[in-house]
Amino acid sequence: MSWYEIFPLVSTSFILISGILVAIGWRLIILKKRDAHEKVMIAAAIAASLFFIIYVSRTIFIGNTTFNGPDDLKTVYLVFLLFHIVLATVAAGFGITTLTLAFRKRFAKHRKVGRVTSVIWFATVITGVTVYVLLYLMYPGGHTKPVIQAIFG
């Protein structure tokens, strides 16, 4: 297994773990287990942050992966990828807001925003795993230059 395969597998694993932890955290708060909810949600945020750090590092030093599937699916894939990127960006903003509200003990607002954040995050996780499956399992082989190489030659 090469670095081109290891980094995406690890980063996708972290995003999946984050989604599972958010689901567990949601269940814990329904059961009124606030301390456990807080710990699990912080762990989910850490897992999501690790994903982001690995993703950005991979993009800078190794490069991204291009879609290597059939040409007739490329437009559909790119629209799906754009949808995932927009979801992930919105989810990150909502996630930071939700965590900030919790740390400031503004629980009424945290509860309302947190529900929306969780749903957006679940969609982000599902679309992110789908992108991984398409790029590395179904249609492997596409690769671009690392950003650092593209900039500095």
Side-chain angles (χ1 to χ4, degrees):
M1 192 174 251
S2 72
W3 289 111
Y4 300 109
E5 298 162 327
I6 292 171
F7 277 110
L9 176 62
V10 171
S11 65
T12 302
S13 297
F14 276 119
I15 210 67
L16 184 58
I17 289 166
S18 176
I20 291 167
L21 289 172
V22 168
I24 292 168
W26 193 337
R27 179 72 178 146
L28 287 169
I29 202 61
I30 288 169
L31 297 173
K32 309 276 190 231
K33 296 182 178 183
R34 286 187 182 182
D35 289 339
H37 167 79
E38 180 181 349
K39 289 174 185 167
V40 168
M41 295 310 250
I42 289 171
I46 290 169
S49 298
L50 288 171
F51 157 78
F52 183 72
I53 291 166
I54 293 168
Y55 175 79
V56 169
S57 299
R58 177 174 56 99
T59 299
I60 292 170
F61 298 110
I62 296 175
N64 280 325
T65 303
T66 56
F67 183 69
N68 203 33
D71 285 340
D72 59 336
L73 290 181
K74 188 168 188 170
T75 301
V76 173
Y77 167 77
L78 291 174
V79 169
F80 185 81
L81 179 63
L82 179 63
F83 177 69
H84 167 69
I85 291 168
V86 170
L87 270 175
T89 303
V90 170
F94 268 79
I96 291 166
T97 301
T98 303
L99 288 168
T100 301
L101 290 169
F103 288 128
R104 291 183 176 169
K105 301 196 184 313
R106 297 182 63 195
F107 297 120
K109 207 166 201 174
H110 167 79
R111 191 176 306 114
K112 288 178 185 176
V113 175
R115 288 180 183 133
V116 174
T117 303
S118 296
V119 171
I120 295 169
W121 194 244
F122 295 144
T124 302
V125 171
I126 291 165
T127 57
V129 171
T130 303
V131 167
Y132 173 82
V133 169
L134 289 168
L135 290 179
Y136 299 98
L137 301 180
M138 290 180 69
Y139 306 111
H143 183 68
T144 61
K145 286 183 178 181
V147 170
I148 203 130
Q149 184 182 4
I151 293 171
F152 298 110

